[in-house]
Amino acid sequence: MFTRIFRKPKQEPDAVSTLAKLHETLAVLEKKENVLLRKVSAEVDKAKEFSKAKNKKGAIACLKRKKMLEQQVEQLGNFQLRIHDQVTLIEGARVTTETVDALRTGAAAMKAMQKATNIDDVDKTMDEINEQTQNMKEIQTALSTPIGYDFDEDELEAELEELEELELEEQILDTETSYPVPPVHVPQVNQPNRGPLNKNSKEEDELAALEKEMAI
């Protein structure tokens, strides 16, 4: 009773050790199969020798032993097939178990990440980013505004209208002056013969110059 109570619990074999044991058993069975096959070949050679010596009884005995050996070879072959099937099943189960463990680990990691980052934290982070972006835009706008200048928009609009009116007047003047003005012909008037005047007085010189200009 005490032995049953204090006996260590039986440990379940793992897949690695089980596969190693199965492959070891396969190797032993293959060696036995090779030995039996050599014995079968030897019995066949003995039967041929007895047949050549006309020893029918000896030849039949060799063939009987050959049949027994072949049955053992067949049995070993069946054992190997069973073990191969077991190896295939265990390897498949091992791959399935490893896949499930990997998926379980991934699910646990995803759950932990979702727990660390909930939707409220995401919304809060996005609000902070939007607020910082808006603050940066306001700072850039403040830095781009000239310092010490305060312009009156109405005054600038009035000045622009004056410039446009002056430009329009200049265009009209340029249009009027572009047409050629025909010269004015002033007919010459026959002046009565006067006697010789006093010698080139200042007034006469100015009058002569004026008449000359009007005669152009």
Side-chain angles (χ1 to χ4, degrees):
M1 179 177 181
F2 290 101
T3 305
R4 184 180 300 174
I5 294 174
F6 294 103
R7 185 174 57 186
K8 293 182 179 179
K10 185 178 180 180
Q11 295 182 352
E12 295 293 336
D14 59 350
V16 177
S17 60
T18 302
L19 288 172
K21 181 64 177 177
L22 291 173
H23 284 296
E24 182 180 353
T25 303
L26 277 175
V28 174
L29 292 175
E30 288 176 357
K31 289 180 181 179
K32 289 182 178 181
E33 184 181 15
N34 291 331
V35 172
L36 291 175
L37 289 174
R38 285 196 295 269
K39 288 182 179 181
V40 169
S41 179
E43 293 296 334
V44 171
D45 292 338
K46 290 179 182 179
K48 290 179 179 179
E49 291 177 358
F50 282 125
S51 178
K52 290 180 181 180
K54 305 297 182 180
N55 188 352
K56 184 178 179 181
K57 186 177 180 179
I60 291 175
C62 291
L63 292 177
K64 288 181 178 180
R65 287 193 295 271
K66 181 181 79 71
K67 289 289 184 180
M68 294 174 59
L69 291 172
E70 287 177 345
Q71 290 178 357
Q72 294 180 15
V73 170
E74 184 178 359
Q75 187 177 16
L76 289 177
N78 293 330
F79 290 163
Q80 293 180 55
L81 288 175
R82 292 289 183 86
I83 293 177
H84 278 297
D85 292 340
Q86 193 71 24
V87 169
T88 302
L89 291 174
I90 293 176
E91 289 179 346
R94 180 184 178 186
V95 172
T96 302
T97 303
E98 292 176 351
T99 303
V100 173
D101 290 340
L103 294 174
R104 186 182 295 112
T105 303
M110 185 177 296
K111 184 177 180 180
M113 288 187 292
Q114 290 178 352
K115 185 177 180 180
T117 306
N118 54 32
I119 187 62
D120 295 333
D121 293 336
V122 174
D123 291 338
K124 184 178 179 181
T125 301
M126 293 304 299
D127 291 339
E128 291 178 354
I129 292 174
N130 293 331
E131 183 179 357
Q132 292 174 2
T133 303
Q134 185 64 29
N135 292 336
M136 182 59 64
K137 289 182 179 179
E138 292 178 359
I139 292 172
Q140 292 175 352
T141 302
L143 291 175
S144 62
T145 302
I147 300 175
Y149 295 96
D150 187 11
F151 299 104
D152 187 354
E153 296 294 334
D154 295 336
E155 183 179 351
L156 293 175
E157 291 288 342
E159 186 176 352
L160 179 60
E161 290 180 1
E162 291 179 1
L163 291 176
E164 292 176 351
E165 290 178 358
L166 289 174
E167 184 178 0
L168 182 59
E169 292 177 357
E170 291 178 357
Q171 291 178 357
I172 293 174
L173 291 175
D174 291 339
T175 304
E176 292 178 351
T177 56
S178 61
Y179 295 101
V181 179
V184 180
H185 179 71
V186 179
Q188 295 183 357
V189 181
N190 294 327
Q191 299 292 333
N193 294 329
R194 297 179 181 178
L197 300 175
N198 293 333
K199 191 176 182 179
N200 293 331
S201 64
K202 183 177 180 180
E203 294 179 356
E204 292 176 348
D205 293 337
E206 292 178 356
L207 180 59
L210 180 59
E211 291 178 352
K212 185 177 181 180
E213 289 178 358
M214 294 180 64
I216 295 175

